Amino acid sequence: KNQVEQSPQSLIILEGKNCTLQCNYTVSPFSNLRWYKQDTGRGPVSLTIMTFSENTKSNGRYTATLDADTKQSSLHITASQLSDSASYICVVSGDTNAGKSTFGDGTTLTVKP
Amino acid sequence: DTAVSQTPKYLVTQMGNDKSIKCEQNLGHDTMYWYKQDSKKFLKIMFSYNNKELIINETVPNRFSPKSPDKAHLNLHINSLELGDSAVYFCASSLAGSGRSYNEQFFGPGTRLTVL
């Protein structure tokens, strides 16, 4: 069964600190892995998308890594800001059809001043 | 603005009623989706349409019926609403097709449905 597990479930950090969110998956075959940010009351917004051949991708202060051998991904947030408070969702697709995707349950990040 | 839009943003209704949520995208995408996000914030796919054809239909009660009049619209009609239908419903779209290594999804702002 295809699964995506994220950890931690929730995280509280102080503004300016770095943090790393984890995503482990058992989806097979593998096409791509996406990280989304979902602000409260809004729809998810894509942060990064990585295919099998990519092992790191950055989007500003967000850096995602992918180890396709161990089926693990991480999202590193540098110099956190209050606006980083959100839910971060890892999504793994088994083919190019985005609808055939497995969603993680998300990590809720709270950045405090 | 190019985007995925949904109406209404909020919907409060009584149990047993029938309601619809509309979704439109002007991104030129050919695939649209409906997701349900429950109170625990877990996102679950409900339906996916490609070029007005249903391609994914997860285990969803047949009280839920998607309707796609054209590629840019995917509406969700719900009959005989139940308390458990209370959730946030998200519409999304993407561009399918071969030769692409991935197809990014763009989500709408969500419709918060409350059934009393």
Side-chain angles (χ1 to χ4, degrees), chain A residues 27-105:
Chain A
V27 176
S28 182
F30 174 85
S31 173
N32 62 81
L33 184 147
R34 291 167 272 157
W35 281 95
Y36 285 91
K37 179 187 179 193
Q38 185 176 17
D39 292 315
T40 301
R42 293 178 174 253
V45 173
S46 179
L47 292 175
T48 64
I49 303 175
M50 287 182 291
T51 58
F52 184 88
S53 58
E54 298 170 300
N55 56 22
T56 187
K57 190 166 271 192
S58 291
N59 178 357
R61 294 179 297 102
Y62 300 101
T63 299
T65 64
L66 172 65
D67 185 335
D69 291 331
T70 61
K71 300 188 176 181
Q72 296 179 324
S73 175
S74 65
L75 180 69
H76 186 74
I77 304 175
T78 305
S80 60
Q81 300 176 359
L82 299 179
S83 60
D84 291 332
S85 295
S87 181
Y88 292 84
I89 305 169
C90 176
V91 183
V92 182
S93 294
D95 70 23
T96 55
N97 183 344
K100 295 182 182 177
S101 302
T102 304
F103 281 67
D105 291 337

